[in-house]
Amino acid sequence: MSFPITRMRRLRSHPVLRAMVTETKVTTDDLVMPLFACPGTNVKNPISSMPGNYQLSIDLLVEECKSLMDVGIRAIILFGIPEEKDETGMIAAHDDAIIPRAIEAIKKNVPGMYIIADVCNCEYTTHGHCGVIVDGDVDNDQTMDSLVAQSITFARHGVDMVAPSDMMDGRVLRIRQGLDAEGYYNLPIMAYSAKYASAFYGPFRDAADSAPQFGDRSSYQMNPPNSNEAMREIEMDIVEGADIVMVKPALSYLDIIRRARDRFDLPIAAYNVSGEFSMVKAAAEKGWIDENRIVKEILTSIKRAGSDIILTYHAKHFAEKLQ
Ligand code: PBG
Protein backbone atom coordinates (compact mmCIF):
# COMPACT_ATOMS: atom_id res chain seq x y z
CA MET A 1 0.00 0.00 0.00
CA SER A 2 1.13 3.47 -0.65
CA PHE A 3 -0.08 7.01 -0.12
CA PRO A 4 -2.85 8.08 0.28
CA ILE A 5 -4.15 4.72 1.61
CA THR A 6 -1.11 4.44 3.84
CA ARG A 7 -0.29 7.41 5.99
CA MET A 8 2.65 6.87 8.34
CA ARG A 9 1.64 9.84 10.48
CA ARG A 10 -1.55 8.06 11.68
CA LEU A 11 0.49 5.98 14.15
CA ARG A 12 2.20 9.10 15.44
CA SER A 13 -0.97 11.05 16.10
CA HIS A 14 -1.53 10.36 19.84
CA PRO A 15 0.97 10.03 22.71
CA VAL A 16 -0.64 6.83 24.00
CA LEU A 17 -0.51 5.27 20.56
CA ARG A 18 3.09 6.39 20.11
CA ALA A 19 3.94 4.68 23.41
CA MET A 20 2.11 1.52 22.32
CA VAL A 21 4.09 1.17 19.12
CA THR A 22 7.48 2.09 20.56
CA GLU A 23 9.88 -0.60 19.40
CA THR A 24 12.75 -0.13 21.86
CA LYS A 25 12.42 0.68 25.54
CA VAL A 26 15.36 1.04 27.90
CA THR A 27 14.71 0.01 31.48
CA THR A 28 16.86 -0.04 34.61
CA ASP A 29 17.20 -3.82 34.12
CA ASP A 30 19.42 -3.10 31.10
CA LEU A 31 21.85 -0.82 32.91
CA VAL A 32 25.12 -1.31 34.79
CA MET A 33 26.65 1.59 36.72
CA PRO A 34 30.47 1.84 36.81
CA LEU A 35 31.94 2.77 40.20
CA PHE A 36 35.48 3.57 41.36
CA ALA A 37 36.74 2.22 44.69
CA CYS A 38 39.64 3.99 46.43
CA PRO A 39 41.48 3.59 49.76
CA GLY A 40 40.61 5.37 52.99
CA THR A 41 37.39 6.15 54.79
CA ASN A 42 34.92 8.92 54.07
CA VAL A 43 36.75 9.74 50.82
CA LYS A 44 34.74 11.19 47.96
CA ASN A 45 37.10 12.57 45.32
CA PRO A 46 35.24 14.24 42.49
CA ILE A 47 36.46 13.15 39.03
CA SER A 48 36.71 16.55 37.39
CA SER A 49 36.35 15.32 33.82
CA MET A 50 33.28 13.22 34.71
CA PRO A 51 30.86 15.47 36.62
CA GLY A 52 28.79 13.59 39.22
CA ASN A 53 31.26 10.66 39.40
CA TYR A 54 33.64 10.09 42.30
CA GLN A 55 36.42 7.90 43.56
CA LEU A 56 34.76 6.49 46.67
CA SER A 57 36.26 4.81 49.70
CA ILE A 58 34.60 1.50 50.51
CA ASP A 59 32.31 2.91 53.24
CA LEU A 60 30.88 5.50 50.82
CA LEU A 61 30.80 2.98 47.99
CA VAL A 62 28.44 0.90 50.10
CA GLU A 63 26.22 3.97 50.63
CA GLU A 64 26.24 4.66 46.89
CA CYS A 65 25.17 1.07 46.21
CA LYS A 66 22.24 1.49 48.59
CA SER A 67 21.11 4.63 46.82
CA LEU A 68 21.46 2.92 43.43
CA MET A 69 19.29 0.06 44.66
CA ASP A 70 16.71 2.57 45.87
CA VAL A 71 16.26 3.89 42.32
CA GLY A 72 16.30 0.43 40.73
CA ILE A 73 19.90 0.09 39.52
CA ARG A 74 20.82 -3.41 40.66
CA ALA A 75 24.13 -3.97 38.87
CA ILE A 76 27.50 -2.25 39.11
CA ILE A 77 30.92 -2.74 37.59
CA LEU A 78 33.84 -2.00 39.91
CA PHE A 79 37.18 -0.40 39.11
CA GLY A 80 39.92 -0.06 41.71
CA ILE A 81 42.35 2.68 42.61
CA PRO A 82 44.97 0.83 44.67
CA GLU A 83 47.18 1.99 47.55
CA GLU A 84 50.21 0.72 45.72
CA LYS A 85 51.08 -0.34 42.19
CA ASP A 86 53.54 -2.94 40.90
CA GLU A 87 55.08 -4.02 37.59
CA THR A 88 52.61 -6.79 36.74
CA GLY A 89 49.27 -5.94 38.33
CA MET A 90 49.54 -9.02 40.54
CA ILE A 91 49.07 -6.68 43.51
CA ALA A 92 45.37 -6.46 42.59
CA ALA A 93 44.96 -10.17 43.30
CA HIS A 94 45.89 -10.00 46.99
CA ASP A 95 43.08 -10.79 49.40
CA ASP A 96 43.42 -7.38 51.04
CA ALA A 97 43.54 -5.44 47.74
CA ILE A 98 40.97 -2.75 47.09
CA ILE A 99 38.52 -4.68 44.88
CA PRO A 100 38.25 -7.86 47.00
CA ARG A 101 37.58 -5.68 50.06
CA ALA A 102 35.02 -3.60 48.16
CA ILE A 103 33.21 -6.71 46.91
CA GLU A 104 33.02 -8.14 50.40
CA ALA A 105 31.69 -4.93 51.94
CA ILE A 106 29.03 -4.44 49.29
CA LYS A 107 27.91 -8.08 49.43
CA LYS A 108 27.59 -7.84 53.21
CA ASN A 109 25.71 -4.53 53.33
CA VAL A 110 23.80 -4.49 50.03
CA PRO A 111 23.28 -8.19 49.33
CA GLY A 112 20.92 -7.66 46.40
CA MET A 113 23.49 -5.72 44.38
CA TYR A 114 24.90 -7.67 41.42
CA ILE A 115 28.63 -7.03 41.38
CA ILE A 116 30.69 -7.24 38.21
CA ALA A 117 34.44 -6.70 38.55
CA ASP A 118 36.55 -5.33 35.74
CA VAL A 119 39.61 -7.54 35.39
CA CYS A 120 42.63 -5.68 34.05
CA ASN A 121 46.07 -4.48 35.10
CA CYS A 122 46.26 -0.87 33.93
CA GLU A 123 44.98 0.61 37.20
CA TYR A 124 47.50 -1.47 39.14
CA THR A 125 50.73 -1.22 37.12
CA THR A 126 53.35 1.48 37.65
CA HIS A 127 53.59 1.97 33.87
CA GLY A 128 49.81 2.11 33.29
CA HIS A 129 49.75 -0.61 30.62
CA CYS A 130 47.32 -3.52 30.78
CA GLY A 131 50.00 -6.17 31.22
CA VAL A 132 53.57 -7.24 31.81
CA ILE A 133 56.13 -5.24 29.81
CA VAL A 134 58.78 -7.22 27.92
CA ASP A 135 61.05 -5.38 25.45
CA GLY A 136 58.89 -2.28 25.52
CA ASP A 137 55.61 -4.01 24.71
CA VAL A 138 52.90 -5.83 26.66
CA ASP A 139 53.64 -9.57 26.70
CA ASN A 140 50.46 -11.48 25.95
CA ASP A 141 51.06 -14.79 27.70
CA GLN A 142 52.79 -13.50 30.84
CA THR A 143 49.96 -11.00 31.38
CA MET A 144 47.42 -13.76 31.76
CA ASP A 145 48.79 -14.93 35.11
CA SER A 146 47.62 -11.81 36.93
CA LEU A 147 44.27 -11.80 35.12
CA VAL A 148 43.56 -15.36 36.23
CA ALA A 149 44.78 -14.60 39.77
CA GLN A 150 42.58 -11.48 40.01
CA SER A 151 39.54 -13.40 38.76
CA ILE A 152 39.99 -16.18 41.31
CA THR A 153 40.51 -13.73 44.18
CA PHE A 154 37.43 -11.73 43.21
CA ALA A 155 35.43 -14.96 43.01
CA ARG A 156 36.61 -16.00 46.47
CA HIS A 157 35.40 -12.66 47.83
CA GLY A 158 31.94 -13.06 46.32
CA VAL A 159 31.91 -11.31 42.97
CA ASP A 160 28.98 -12.20 40.70
CA MET A 161 30.71 -11.82 37.32
CA VAL A 162 34.18 -11.03 35.99
CA ALA A 163 34.81 -8.80 32.99
CA PRO A 164 38.31 -8.97 31.48
CA SER A 165 39.08 -5.70 29.65
CA ASP A 166 42.75 -6.20 28.80
CA MET A 167 42.42 -7.52 25.20
CA MET A 168 45.09 -10.22 25.54
CA ASP A 169 44.58 -13.19 23.20
CA GLY A 170 43.38 -16.33 24.92
CA ARG A 171 42.58 -14.78 28.27
CA VAL A 172 38.95 -15.86 28.38
CA LEU A 173 39.97 -19.51 28.11
CA ARG A 174 42.68 -19.15 30.78
CA ILE A 175 40.29 -17.35 33.15
CA ARG A 176 37.56 -19.96 32.54
CA GLN A 177 39.99 -22.79 33.26
CA GLY A 178 41.31 -20.99 36.34
CA LEU A 179 37.84 -20.38 37.75
CA ASP A 180 36.66 -23.91 37.00
CA ALA A 181 39.71 -25.44 38.66
CA GLU A 182 38.76 -23.60 41.86
CA GLY A 183 35.13 -24.68 41.62
CA TYR A 184 33.72 -21.40 40.29
CA TYR A 185 32.23 -23.03 37.21
CA ASN A 186 29.02 -21.05 37.59
CA LEU A 187 30.65 -17.62 37.58
CA PRO A 188 29.91 -15.88 34.27
CA ILE A 189 32.55 -14.11 32.18
CA MET A 190 31.61 -10.96 30.31
CA ALA A 191 34.47 -10.41 27.84
CA TYR A 192 35.39 -6.99 26.53
CA SER A 193 35.68 -8.68 23.13
CA ALA A 194 35.70 -5.84 20.62
CA LYS A 195 37.46 -3.13 22.57
CA TYR A 196 38.91 -0.39 20.42
CA ALA A 197 41.98 1.78 21.05
CA SER A 198 39.78 4.82 21.53
CA ALA A 199 40.24 8.48 22.43
CA PHE A 200 36.87 8.22 24.17
CA TYR A 201 38.56 6.65 27.24
CA GLY A 202 40.35 9.93 28.11
CA PRO A 203 38.30 10.92 31.17
CA PHE A 204 38.35 7.34 32.57
CA ARG A 205 42.13 7.38 32.68
CA ASP A 206 41.93 10.39 35.03
CA ALA A 207 39.27 8.62 37.06
CA ALA A 208 41.21 5.38 37.43
CA ASP A 209 44.69 6.89 37.29
CA SER A 210 45.50 4.42 34.52
CA ALA A 211 47.01 6.44 31.65
CA PRO A 212 49.94 4.59 30.03
CA GLN A 213 53.26 6.24 30.98
CA PHE A 214 54.72 5.55 27.54
CA GLY A 215 53.27 4.70 24.14
CA ASP A 216 49.60 3.77 23.75
CA ARG A 217 47.38 0.68 23.72
CA SER A 218 47.36 0.11 19.93
CA SER A 219 49.31 -3.15 20.15
CA TYR A 220 46.49 -4.80 22.09
CA GLN A 221 43.25 -2.83 21.66
CA MET A 222 41.56 -2.83 18.25
CA ASN A 223 42.12 -0.40 15.41
CA PRO A 224 38.94 1.75 15.11
CA PRO A 225 38.45 1.34 11.33
CA ASN A 226 38.11 -2.45 11.60
CA SER A 227 34.81 -4.30 11.64
CA ASN A 228 35.55 -7.83 10.31
CA GLU A 229 38.27 -8.11 12.92
CA ALA A 230 35.69 -7.38 15.62
CA MET A 231 33.68 -10.41 14.46
CA ARG A 232 36.81 -12.58 14.77
CA GLU A 233 37.54 -11.23 18.26
CA ILE A 234 33.98 -11.91 19.39
CA GLU A 235 33.95 -15.37 17.85
CA MET A 236 37.21 -16.30 19.57
CA ASP A 237 35.89 -15.18 22.95
CA ILE A 238 32.72 -17.22 22.45
CA VAL A 239 34.76 -20.30 21.58
CA GLU A 240 36.89 -19.72 24.68
CA GLY A 241 33.81 -19.66 26.90
CA ALA A 242 32.62 -16.05 27.20
CA ASP A 243 29.01 -15.89 28.44
CA ILE A 244 28.49 -12.30 27.34
CA VAL A 245 30.51 -10.34 24.77
CA MET A 246 31.04 -6.60 24.80
CA VAL A 247 31.56 -3.89 22.23
CA LYS A 248 33.34 -0.78 23.49
CA PRO A 249 32.95 2.19 23.06
CA ALA A 250 29.27 2.22 22.08
CA LEU A 251 28.28 5.27 20.07
CA SER A 252 30.91 5.36 17.35
CA TYR A 253 30.59 1.57 17.14
CA LEU A 254 26.82 1.05 16.83
CA ASP A 255 27.49 -0.69 13.50
CA ILE A 256 29.68 -3.23 15.30
CA ILE A 257 26.95 -3.88 17.88
CA ARG A 258 24.42 -4.41 15.11
CA ARG A 259 26.72 -6.74 13.15
CA ALA A 260 27.39 -8.77 16.28
CA ARG A 261 23.65 -8.91 17.09
CA ASP A 262 22.84 -10.25 13.62
CA ARG A 263 25.59 -12.85 13.77
CA PHE A 264 25.74 -14.16 17.35
CA ASP A 265 23.04 -15.42 19.68
CA LEU A 266 24.54 -14.78 23.10
CA PRO A 267 23.88 -11.60 25.11
CA ILE A 268 25.72 -8.50 23.93
CA ALA A 269 26.87 -5.68 26.18
CA ALA A 270 27.95 -2.22 25.10
CA TYR A 271 30.04 0.22 27.12
CA ASN A 272 28.89 3.84 26.85
CA VAL A 273 32.34 5.07 27.88
CA SER A 274 33.66 8.04 29.81
CA GLY A 275 34.31 10.34 26.85
CA GLU A 276 30.81 9.74 25.51
CA PHE A 277 29.43 10.66 28.93
CA SER A 278 31.62 13.72 29.44
CA MET A 279 30.80 15.24 26.06
CA VAL A 280 27.11 15.17 26.98
CA LYS A 281 27.82 16.71 30.38
CA ALA A 282 29.97 19.48 28.92
CA ALA A 283 27.42 20.43 26.27
CA ALA A 284 24.63 20.33 28.85
CA GLU A 285 26.58 22.60 31.20
CA LYS A 286 26.89 25.10 28.39
CA GLY A 287 23.16 24.91 27.80
CA TRP A 288 23.65 23.68 24.24
CA ILE A 289 21.60 20.49 24.54
CA ASP A 290 18.67 19.12 26.55
CA GLU A 291 20.54 16.60 28.70
CA ASN A 292 17.54 14.50 29.68
CA ARG A 293 16.39 14.00 26.10
CA ILE A 294 19.91 13.38 24.84
CA VAL A 295 20.66 10.71 27.49
CA LYS A 296 17.44 8.88 26.73
CA GLU A 297 18.08 9.03 22.99
CA ILE A 298 21.68 7.80 23.41
CA LEU A 299 20.77 4.82 25.59
CA THR A 300 17.86 3.94 23.32
CA SER A 301 20.12 4.00 20.27
CA ILE A 302 22.58 1.60 21.91
CA LYS A 303 19.76 -0.80 22.72
CA ARG A 304 18.17 -0.41 19.29
CA ALA A 305 21.54 -1.28 17.72
CA GLY A 306 21.24 -4.64 19.45
CA SER A 307 22.82 -4.61 22.89
CA ASP A 308 21.09 -6.27 25.83
CA ILE A 309 23.23 -4.71 28.53
CA ILE A 310 24.48 -1.12 28.67
CA LEU A 311 27.31 -0.07 30.96
CA THR A 312 26.82 3.65 31.45
CA TYR A 313 27.68 6.52 33.81
CA HIS A 314 24.17 7.84 33.03
CA ALA A 315 22.57 4.84 34.80
CA LYS A 316 21.56 6.61 38.02
CA HIS A 317 20.38 9.74 36.24
CA PHE A 318 18.28 7.60 33.90
CA ALA A 319 16.77 5.69 36.80
CA GLU A 320 15.96 8.84 38.75
CA LYS A 321 14.51 10.95 35.98
CA LEU A 322 14.06 9.33 32.62
CA GLN A 323 11.95 6.19 32.78
C1 PBG B 1 40.73 -0.89 31.65
C2 PBG B 1 39.52 -0.19 31.20
C3 PBG B 1 39.41 1.04 30.53
C4 PBG B 1 38.06 1.31 30.44
C5 PBG B 1 37.39 0.24 31.00
N1 PBG B 1 38.31 -0.68 31.44
C6 PBG B 1 40.44 1.99 30.10
C7 PBG B 1 41.36 1.70 29.00
O1 PBG B 1 41.32 0.67 28.34
O2 PBG B 1 42.23 2.56 28.79
C8 PBG B 1 37.45 2.55 29.83
C9 PBG B 1 36.13 2.96 30.39
C10 PBG B 1 35.67 4.32 30.04
O3 PBG B 1 36.32 5.09 29.30
O4 PBG B 1 34.61 4.68 30.54
N2 PBG B 1 41.52 -1.46 30.67
Side-chain angles (χ1 to χ4, degrees):
M1 279 314 152
S2 59
F3 182 82
I5 305 295
T6 299
R7 286 179 182 269
M8 297 303 286
R9 291 182 57 189
R10 277 186 212 121
L11 289 177
R12 300 178 197 138
S13 61
H14 192 286
V16 174
L17 179 58
R18 284 199 295 274
M20 261 186 242
V21 299
T22 297
E23 295 178 38
T24 306
K25 285 181 187 161
V26 176
T27 77
T28 49
D29 287 346
D30 307 322
L31 305 181
V32 178
M33 178 76 189
L35 294 175
F36 300 93
C38 74
T41 42
N42 206 22
V43 180
K44 184 176 184 178
N45 291 332
I47 300 162
S48 60
S49 53
M50 299 175 68
N53 289 267
Y54 303 86
Q55 297 175 341
L56 296 171
S57 54
I58 292 174
D59 52 328
L60 298 189
L61 195 64
V62 166
E63 294 311 309
E64 181 59 19
C65 286
K66 286 181 187 161
S67 86
L68 285 168
M69 283 295 261
D70 287 344
V71 296
I73 300 293
R74 298 177 298 165
I76 57 168
I77 181 161
L78 286 179
F79 297 93
I81 294 106
E83 277 100 355
E84 276 178 82
K85 303 193 184 218
D86 66 7
E87 286 292 300
T88 62
M90 198 53 104
I91 201 160
H94 294 175
D95 281 305
D96 60 354
I98 186 82
I99 292 297
R101 284 193 283 126
I103 294 166
E104 226 159 68
I106 296 166
K107 272 288 154 202
K108 183 163 162 236
N109 295 292
V110 198
M113 183 56 85
Y114 192 85
I115 306 176
I116 305 169
D118 184 86
V119 172
C120 194
N121 292 309
C122 61
E123 299 118 270
Y124 308 105
T125 50
T126 45
H127 43 74
H129 275 287
C130 299
V132 179
I133 304 291
V134 177
D135 295 334
D137 193 11
V138 171
D139 184 85
N140 191 84
D141 299 14
Q142 287 190 42
T143 294
M144 290 199 263
D145 293 342
S146 61
L147 302 172
V148 174
Q150 277 185 43
S151 302
I152 292 171
T153 303
F154 299 167
R156 193 163 54 240
H157 289 262
V159 82
D160 294 300
M161 182 188 285
V162 290
S165 66
D166 51 283
M167 287 298 279
M168 298 304 120
D169 289 321
R171 90 281 206 210
V172 173
L173 177 64
R174 283 283 307 277
I175 291 172
R176 184 72 273 156
Q177 288 170 337
L179 290 172
D180 288 2
E182 298 291 322
Y184 301 113
Y185 44 80
N186 259 336
L187 194 82
I189 299 174
M190 174 166 69
Y192 288 69
S193 301
K195 177 176 179 180
Y196 288 87
S198 170
F200 285 101
Y201 308 149
F204 175 93
R205 291 177 187 174
D206 293 340
D209 186 22
S210 65
Q213 300 301 303
F214 63 90
D216 58 28
R217 304 209 201 288
S218 319
S219 81
Y220 42 105
Q221 298 179 349
M222 280 186 58
N223 193 16
N226 293 359
S227 168
N228 294 333
E229 188 186 342
M231 298 305 109
R232 294 186 69 201
E233 282 282 7
I234 291 171
E235 192 156 13
M236 271 185 73
D237 284 356
I238 295 171
V239 169
E240 288 178 33
D243 300 282
I244 299 171
V245 293
M246 192 196 298
V247 175
K248 176 186 174 188
L251 291 179
S252 293
Y253 301 86
L254 293 177
D255 57 320
I256 309 298
I257 299 172
R258 169 46 56 189
R259 246 189 114 179
R261 174 74 296 149
D262 290 343
R263 186 154 166 166
F264 304 109
D265 292 327
L266 78 180
I268 294 174
Y271 201 138
N272 178 214
V273 299
S274 57
E276 298 173 328
F277 169 84
S278 299
M279 290 195 307
V280 171
K281 284 290 178 187
E285 262 172 33
K286 285 189 175 285
W288 290 346
I289 54 167
D290 177 336
E291 185 180 357
N292 286 342
R293 288 187 59 202
I294 290 268
V295 168
K296 200 161 183 183
E297 194 169 330
I298 283 175
L299 297 181
T300 304
S301 73
I302 297 170
K303 187 162 180 185
R304 192 190 61 228
S307 66
D308 305 285
I309 301 166
I310 306 172
L311 296 86
T312 178
Y313 305 94
H314 296 298
K316 194 174 184 189
H317 174 190
F318 177 90
E320 282 171 340
K321 297 213 180 110
L322 304 178
Q323 301 196 77

